[in-house]
Amino acid sequence: MYKLTLRQSAFLRIYHWLLVLLILIIVPTGFYIHKPFSFLQLDFRTLLNIHFFAGFALSYLLMARAYYAIFRQDYQTVLFTWQDFKELPALFSYYLFFRAEKPPEQKYNAGQRLVYSLWYISLSIANISGALAYKKTDFLPIAKILGGVHHLDWLTLGSALFLAYTVPLHIYLSVTENMGFSQAILTGYTYELKPDGMPPVEQGQRIKTFLPGQWLLNKLAGLVALITKEK
């Protein structure tokens, strides 16, 4: 009925956990460098060196990911395309409990590809702007074109904030939607239904899914109709 399928290659698993480690170093230290906390006194010079060492390591990691995506044609599974815009409304309806069935997807759905593409862009922007700010004397002409070193700092900060807000969402969806896929980022493998296999539950035995989003929408529509009728 089920078969063991390789979902995440060794490279992607190593890339994922190295990225997690570097983000856990770069984001907190970057926030501290931008505005040191009064209640936490740390050696600023040491923290700065750790932050930029992790930043340079991140740049090599991103280049390795781009190389893998191009030469293994992995970009077809993670790159957000114009076609994905058409899938977003149905996907959001599913996540907001307006529909029970999840839209068809490939390895990743349209929402995941959108987030992954934005992550790569924001990480690249933060990495470049951070490097320009770190060597501001060498790259002062470029910094002036972009509005000055102060604007580079805000560009880096904006990218870090985007990561800080979207990573918890990524973790939440990973552990609540399909634990098999979450397991694959550790082991590489997941169980998938064979093409000729039967689903574990018969169609007639399935319990009708309660959709709180649709229920709320119906209640609001009834309330609007009631108010309109009274007027």
Side-chain angles (χ1 to χ4, degrees):
M1 182 180 294
Y2 288 95
K3 62 178 180 178
L4 196 62
T5 305
L6 179 64
R7 179 176 175 84
Q8 304 290 0
S9 66
F11 172 83
L12 292 178
R13 300 199 302 274
I14 294 172
Y15 165 81
H16 177 272
W17 293 113
L18 284 178
L19 183 62
V20 170
L21 176 63
L22 291 176
I23 288 178
L24 288 176
I25 295 173
I26 292 172
V27 173
T29 56
F31 283 143
Y32 187 88
I33 291 170
H34 179 75
K35 188 174 183 180
F37 310 126
S38 57
F39 63 89
L40 186 62
Q41 299 297 326
L42 300 174
D43 184 11
F44 190 85
R45 176 55 60 181
T46 301
L47 205 64
L48 187 66
N49 290 334
I50 293 174
H51 177 80
F52 282 107
F53 175 80
F56 285 123
L58 177 64
S59 64
Y60 287 109
L61 188 64
L62 293 176
M63 286 188 288
R65 183 65 180 91
Y67 178 90
Y68 183 89
I70 294 173
F71 289 95
R72 295 293 298 271
Q73 295 186 347
D74 175 71
Y75 65 90
Q76 297 177 352
T77 64
V78 295
L79 187 64
F80 186 77
T81 63
W82 180 256
Q83 181 66 27
D84 292 326
F85 274 109
K86 300 178 181 180
E87 301 178 13
L88 286 178
L91 184 65
F92 288 150
S93 296
Y94 170 77
Y95 282 135
L96 295 175
F97 304 104
F98 288 108
R99 57 182 291 170
E101 297 296 330
K102 189 176 183 181
E105 62 183 31
Q106 302 174 10
K107 182 177 181 179
Y108 304 112
N109 59 49
Q112 289 172 314
R113 288 195 293 272
L114 175 61
V115 172
Y116 295 158
S117 298
L118 290 177
W119 274 355
Y120 195 89
I121 294 172
S122 63
L123 282 170
S124 300
I125 290 175
N127 200 258
I128 295 172
S129 60
L132 292 176
Y134 181 63
K135 293 290 186 178
K136 53 181 176 289
T137 55
D138 298 330
F139 298 105
L140 189 59
I142 300 178
K144 288 182 177 179
I145 294 174
L146 297 175
V149 177
H150 184 67
H151 283 185
L152 288 177
D153 290 338
W154 281 107
L155 190 62
T156 307
L157 180 62
S159 300
L161 288 173
F162 173 75
L163 286 171
Y165 282 114
T166 54
V167 166
L169 177 63
H170 166 69
I171 296 174
Y172 169 76
L173 294 177
S174 297
V175 300
T176 56
E177 184 172 327
N178 191 320
M179 285 302 296
F181 293 165
S182 300
Q183 177 182 318
I185 203 63
L186 291 171
T187 65
Y189 291 89
T190 184
Y191 282 102
E192 294 184 2
L193 190 67
K194 292 181 179 179
D196 57 344
M198 293 295 293
V201 180
E202 294 293 336
Q203 184 70 25
Q205 297 176 346
R206 292 184 180 178
I207 301 174
K208 185 177 181 180
T209 306
F210 175 67
L211 300 175
Q214 189 65 51
W215 175 85
L216 179 60
L217 189 63
N218 292 337
K219 289 294 184 181
L220 290 175
L223 181 60
V224 171
L226 181 61
I227 295 174
T228 305
K229 184 178 179 181
E230 291 179 353
K231 289 183 178 181

